[in-house]
């Protein structure tokens, strides 16, 4: 953990002050009689998960023995991955300015293709760690696919695609989110992505919900189809119910710490 001391030297551009954690936001959002759009549902989901606190926060966590930190203040952000190898500390840093890598304090020049791969990897972990925050970004397109029942609970089913401009290297990936109709919490998600053999798919089931500093975090059971040729992205929820998916891995965030940042 001593490597976090070195990390601090990279993030002094953010004037972070501790703020007492507010009461954990676990109340259920009351629905109205109006017909909810995909935007309405996502807005409510972000609200019960922490809302504006995400935009003024410092997050630290570990994922698969690698350290991550996310600093967000107003419209600025800095996403960091710290990998420790022997006596070296490798910093991958993604911000409004772009992506950079450092070996200890030395800047590392990378080929564009390698830099893009590292950038996508860093962004992916941070993206999933704070869902549904991020689903209102400018490059995100949302549409309501209707409702679906999973394990006797009713969910809004929302499809998400991305514009090429601002959508990142994997802008053509597609996502589906299942948001609980009563609590507005995101409890399942699925996505498709391009791979050498065609299109890959994953389905994730949230568990181990906890709040830190008023922000909601979950871990995921990560599934893949037993027979990908007979299953589409849209019916992965039904395939999960029918036991047609197999557990591939667990997505677990450890030692999650949150500090709220004063504007």
């Amino acid at each position: 953990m001593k490597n976090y001391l070195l990390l601090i030297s990279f993030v002094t551009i953010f004037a972070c002050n501790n703020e007492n954690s507010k009461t954990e936001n676990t109340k259920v959002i009351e629905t109205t009689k109006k017909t909810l759009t995909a935007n309405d549902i996502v807005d409510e989901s972000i609200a019960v998960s922490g809302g504006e606190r995400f935009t003024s926060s410092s997050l630290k966590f570990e994922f698969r023995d690698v350290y991550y930190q996310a600093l967000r203040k107003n419209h600025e952000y800095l996403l960091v991955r710290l990998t420790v190898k022997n006596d070296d500390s490798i910093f991958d840093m993604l911000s409004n300015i772009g992506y950079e890598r450092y070996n200890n304090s030395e800047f590392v020049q990378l080929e564009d293709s390698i830099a893009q791969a590292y950038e996508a990897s860093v962004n992916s972990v941070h993206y999933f760690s704070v869902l549904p925050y991020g689903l209102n970004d400018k490059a995100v397109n949302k549409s309501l696919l209707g409702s679906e029942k999973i394990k006797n609970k009713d969910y809004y089913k929302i499809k998400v695609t991305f514009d090429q401009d601002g959508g990142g290297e994997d802008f053509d990936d597609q996502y589906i989110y299942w948001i609980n109709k009563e609590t507005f919490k995101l409890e399942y998600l699925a996505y498709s992505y391009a791979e050498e053999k065609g299109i890959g798919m994953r389905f994730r089931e949230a568990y181990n919900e906890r709040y830190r500093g008023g922000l909601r975090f979950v871990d995921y059971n990560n599934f893949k189809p037993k027979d990908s040729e007979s299953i589409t992205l849209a019916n992965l929820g039904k395939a999960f119910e029918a036991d047609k998916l197999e557990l591939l891995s667990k997505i677990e965030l450890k030692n999650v710490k949150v500090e709220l940042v004063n504007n």
Side-chain angles (χ1 to χ4, degrees):
M1 299 297 289
K2 65 182 181 180
N3 292 283
Y4 278 130
L5 296 176
L6 182 57
L7 179 57
I8 292 174
S9 66
F10 287 96
V11 297
T12 53
I13 57 172
F14 291 84
C16 299
N17 295 315
N18 291 349
E19 180 180 306
N20 292 332
S21 297
K22 299 178 182 179
T23 303
E24 294 182 350
N25 184 6
T26 57
K27 75 174 184 177
V28 176
I29 298 294
E30 296 181 358
T31 58
T32 62
K33 293 183 179 180
K34 73 171 185 177
T35 300
L36 297 178
T37 66
N39 285 330
D40 294 331
I41 296 164
V42 168
D43 287 346
E44 296 285 14
S45 186
I46 292 174
V48 300
S49 300
E52 290 301 314
R53 297 179 189 179
F54 282 107
T55 65
S56 301
S57 63
S58 170
L59 317 179
K60 296 178 182 179
F61 60 89
E62 297 171 35
F63 175 60
R64 294 176 179 169
D65 298 323
V66 177
Y67 301 104
Y68 290 83
Q69 183 169 359
L71 297 173
R72 299 179 176 92
K73 187 174 182 181
N74 299 323
H75 299 292
E76 296 181 338
Y77 66 88
L78 176 62
L79 309 180
V80 180
R81 176 176 66 189
L82 168 58
T83 307
V84 180
K85 294 182 178 180
N86 299 322
D87 294 328
D88 291 327
S89 296
I90 309 299
F91 294 90
D92 293 296
M93 307 173 63
L94 178 61
S95 69
N96 304 74
I97 300 173
Y99 166 81
E100 292 181 334
R101 166 172 276 214
Y102 290 85
N103 186 341
N104 297 318
S105 60
E106 297 294 325
F107 174 73
V108 179
Q109 185 68 49
L110 299 171
E111 294 182 5
D112 289 346
S113 59
I114 297 176
Q116 289 174 0
Y118 286 148
E119 176 181 340
S121 177
V122 172
N123 187 63
S124 177
V125 173
H126 282 288
Y127 174 82
F128 284 113
S129 71
V130 292
L131 282 171
Y133 176 76
L135 295 185
N136 278 338
D137 289 350
K138 291 182 179 180
V140 175
N141 306 302
K142 300 181 287 288
S143 59
L144 181 59
L145 299 181
S147 302
E148 189 165 301
K149 189 182 291 289
I150 300 179
K151 291 187 175 181
N152 295 318
K153 292 183 180 181
D154 292 319
Y155 294 90
Y156 294 110
K157 188 176 180 181
I158 294 177
K159 181 178 180 180
V160 167
T161 59
F162 300 90
D163 294 333
Q164 183 171 357
D165 183 14
E169 182 183 13
D170 300 319
F171 71 91
D172 50 353
D173 291 353
Q174 296 186 17
Y175 289 76
I176 293 179
Y177 297 91
W178 286 262
I179 295 175
N180 189 297
K181 282 192 171 184
E182 291 188 3
T183 65
F184 283 91
K185 293 178 180 179
L186 172 61
E187 296 183 1
Y188 300 96
L189 67 93
Y191 62 97
S192 63
Y193 59 95
E195 57 182 6
E196 291 183 2
K197 297 180 180 180
I199 301 297
M201 291 184 292
R202 295 290 183 266
F203 180 88
R204 292 186 179 182
E205 173 191 29
Y207 72 97
N208 190 27
E209 177 192 85
R210 66 273 196 202
Y211 279 77
R212 299 289 184 269
L215 305 184
R216 177 179 182 258
F217 295 90
V218 297
D219 298 325
Y220 293 99
N221 288 317
N222 188 35
F223 296 87
K224 70 175 184 178
K226 295 179 180 178
D227 180 10
S228 58
E229 294 184 0
S230 62
I231 298 176
T232 64
L233 178 66
N235 65 21
L236 276 175
K238 297 184 183 303
F240 174 72
E241 282 266 87
D243 195 28
K244 294 183 178 180
L245 307 180
E246 59 180 326
L247 182 64
L248 180 64
S249 62
K250 289 183 176 289
I251 310 298
E252 298 177 325
L253 306 182
K254 298 182 178 180
N255 298 321
V256 178
K257 297 179 181 179
V258 174
E259 294 178 357
L260 300 182
V261 178
N262 292 333
N263 291 323

